[in-house]
């Protein structure tokens, strides 16, 4: 735990560390199912509520917007409650939002999405801070572990949603609500950590300093652009595949494959990138792989679709791992990580939120996928450009 008078991690009993690692991994496992699990069900949701493609994209966009809107509140709330209590409260809020989204009409659909998205937004900010505070000498390894759990949760939700629906013979509502069950193990592990008052260091000075630092904006831009292209794929990849003639089950499997493939790079890239003098080479490789995946999906979505899904997964896994790693590396100390994480993820996710709805609107206007996917490819070039700036060694870089 953190001392009331001194920022940074305090010594933990040896047996506490495995439990803390398990808690971080289980919490991370819940950061994407609420988003990934709704994508394979989007056609059913749109049909029931008679939503246009743009309005359908809003189901995901509302959540992504709330990722950004909620992020700035993380630092002051964590300062008052402590990181562990804040994390526990947000896990409970995530379960409540997931259930709310699955009952009632359009109002509860979007309201539940907003509640779940807000909880995930705070959890997103907390994760790099918890890693840096409790495991300062293992930032790369622990970042790889929790980001891998994050993408595993997305892969399981994307790949198993439709098979689960077929197995239980239910509509989309019970299947969408089932994601709340995944929160329970994480709640049980974190419950003991919520006892006792934990005072956190003030974040006013880090915020003011970071907002005047160029590296903050490079890290934020990279976070936002890689998130935009990720959530665009998460929202629309199954629809692109079904429009190309694939069955809905196969389309959901391909989205799950793309997410599952990310583990190969989320497990390895942070470990090696954290030790490197510069992360620019890793940023370039991640962008090239993602561009190749999107380009293949654009030119031949119904042919070798498994290959495009794998390339997309490798690139996006490396990108999100690098984005979160750079937050931990570029902050000069553990107390500043929460502030930098708040800035990068709040502004980054607000930018990312435009992706699914913009792509949906472009598809609706053009009647095809060439224009929206071409626009995503342009944004990936911009992601590479800003990522090369963020990948340079800067203040607070560590090995």
């Amino acid at each position: 735990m953190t001392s009331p008078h001194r920022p940074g991690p305090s010594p933990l009993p040896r047996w506490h560390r495995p439990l803390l690692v398990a808690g971080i991994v289980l919490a991370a496992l819940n950061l994407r199912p609420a988003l990934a699990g709704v994508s394979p069900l989007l056609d059913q949701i749109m049909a029931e509520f008679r939503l246009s493609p743009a309005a359908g994209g809003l189901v995901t966009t509302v959540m992504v917007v709330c990722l950004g809107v909620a992020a700035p509140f993380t630092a002051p709330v964590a300062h008052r409650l402590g990181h562990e209590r804040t994390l526990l409260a947000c896990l409970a809020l995530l379960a409540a939002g997931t259930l709310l989204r699955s009952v009632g009409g359009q109002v509860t659909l979007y309201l539940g999405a907003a509640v779940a998205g807000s909880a995930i937004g705070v959890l997103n900010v907390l994760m790099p801070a918890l890693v840096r505070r409790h495991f300062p000498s293992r930032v790369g390894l622990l970042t790889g572990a929790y980001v891998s759990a994050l993408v595993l949760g997305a892969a399981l939700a994307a790949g198993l949603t439709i098979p689960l629906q077929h197995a239980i013979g239910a509509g989309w509502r019970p299947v969408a609500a089932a994601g709340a069950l995944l929160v329970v193990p994480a709640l049980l592990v974190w419950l003991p950590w919520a006892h006792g008052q934990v005072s956190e260091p003030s974040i006013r000075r880090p915020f003011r300093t970071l907002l005047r630092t160029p590296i903050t904006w490079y890290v934020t831009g990279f976070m936002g652009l890689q998130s935009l292209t990720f959530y665009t794929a998460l929202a629309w990849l199954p629809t692109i595949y079904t429009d190309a003639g694939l069955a809905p089950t196969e389309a959901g499997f391909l989205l799950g494959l793309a997410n599952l493939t990310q583990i190969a790079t989320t497990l390895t890239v942070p470990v090696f990138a954290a030790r490197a003098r510069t992360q620019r080479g890793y940023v370039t490789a991640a962008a090239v792989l993602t561009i190749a995946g999107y380009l293949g999906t654009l030119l031949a979505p119904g042919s070798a679709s498994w290959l495009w899904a794998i390339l997309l997964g490798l690139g996006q896994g490396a990108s999100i791992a690098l984005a979160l790693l750079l937050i931990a590396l570029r902050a000069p100390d553990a107390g500043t990580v929460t502030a930098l994480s708040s800035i990068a993820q709040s502004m980054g996710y607000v930018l990312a939120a435009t992706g699914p709805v913009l792509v949906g609107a472009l598809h609706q206007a053009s009647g095809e996928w060439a224009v929206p996917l071409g626009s995503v490819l342009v944004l990936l070039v911009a992601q590479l450009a800003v990522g090369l700036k963020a990948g340079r060694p800067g203040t607070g870089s560590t090995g």
Side-chain angles (χ1 to χ4, degrees):
M1 298 295 176
T2 302
S3 168
H5 306 292
R6 179 171 55 86
S10 61
L12 290 172
R14 186 174 296 273
W15 68 271
H16 278 187
R17 293 188 177 275
L19 186 62
L20 185 58
V21 171
I24 290 173
V25 169
L26 286 172
L29 197 63
N30 284 277
L31 295 181
R32 292 297 177 268
L35 284 153
V38 79
S39 298
L41 302 171
L42 194 55
D43 286 342
Q44 299 175 50
I45 295 172
M46 291 168 59
E48 178 174 332
F49 294 116
R50 297 180 181 179
L51 301 176
S52 67
L58 279 174
V59 177
T60 299
T61 299
V62 164
M63 296 190 71
V64 182
V65 167
C66 288
L67 298 185
V69 171
F73 296 97
T74 306
V77 172
H79 173 62
R80 179 177 294 272
L81 299 180
H83 283 68
E84 291 77 14
R85 282 184 172 180
T86 303
L87 185 142
L88 183 65
C90 286
L91 285 172
L93 197 63
L94 172 57
T98 302
L99 293 173
L100 180 62
R101 186 182 61 180
S102 306
V103 300
Q106 290 189 42
V107 173
T108 56
L109 174 68
Y110 290 113
L111 180 60
V115 171
S118 298
I120 294 171
V122 175
L123 291 169
N124 281 337
V125 174
L126 288 174
M127 300 306 285
L130 284 168
V131 167
R132 179 70 180 269
R133 289 172 67 244
H134 291 293
F135 302 95
S137 63
R138 296 288 186 271
V139 170
L141 181 63
L142 267 295
T143 298
Y146 91 75
V147 178
S148 296
L150 182 152
V151 300
L152 177 61
L156 292 175
L160 298 181
T161 294
I162 297 299
L164 176 62
Q165 184 180 29
H166 290 167
I168 65 177
W172 66 268
R173 295 176 185 273
V175 181
L181 297 175
L182 191 61
V183 181
V184 175
L187 282 171
L188 294 176
V189 172
W190 280 102
L191 193 59
W193 293 85
H195 295 293
Q197 182 63 37
V198 179
S199 178
E200 304 291 343
S202 173
I203 46 80
R204 289 185 179 179
R205 183 175 298 176
F207 265 128
R208 293 171 182 170
T209 302
L210 287 170
L211 289 172
R212 296 194 298 266
T213 305
I215 192 66
T216 298
W217 301 107
Y218 298 144
V219 171
T220 298
F222 183 67
M223 168 61 76
L225 288 170
Q226 68 82 26
S227 295
L228 186 153
T229 59
F230 170 77
Y231 285 112
T232 295
L234 198 65
W236 292 113
L237 202 60
T239 304
I240 293 171
Y241 285 138
T242 54
D243 285 353
L246 277 65
T249 301
E250 187 176 0
F253 168 78
L254 287 169
L255 179 60
L257 176 64
N259 282 281
L260 190 62
T261 305
Q262 292 181 35
I263 296 177
T265 44
T266 56
L267 274 176
T268 56
V269 169
V271 177
F272 293 104
R275 299 172 183 170
R277 186 185 65 84
T278 173
Q279 289 76 43
R280 300 180 78 184
Y282 295 95
V283 167
T284 301
V288 169
L289 287 168
T290 309
I291 288 171
Y294 263 111
L295 191 60
T297 302
L298 169 61
L299 298 178
S303 177
S305 51
W306 59 271
L307 176 60
W308 315 137
I310 288 173
L311 291 174
L312 201 59
L314 291 173
Q316 291 184 327
S319 296
I320 182 60
L322 287 166
L324 294 169
L325 177 68
L326 289 171
I327 290 173
L329 294 182
R330 295 299 178 256
D333 54 66
T336 311
V337 174
T338 306
L340 178 57
S341 188
S342 294
I343 294 169
Q345 299 204 50
S346 62
M347 298 183 182
Y349 281 123
V350 168
L351 173 62
T354 64
V357 69
L358 177 62
V359 166
L362 288 174
H363 174 59
Q364 184 176 356
S366 65
E368 58 182 11
W369 289 106
V371 174
L373 290 180
S375 301
V376 172
L377 288 169
V378 172
L379 291 173
L380 281 166
V381 175
Q383 173 187 316
L384 173 59
V386 73
L388 290 173
K389 295 284 190 180
R392 294 185 303 182
T395 302
S397 180
T398 70

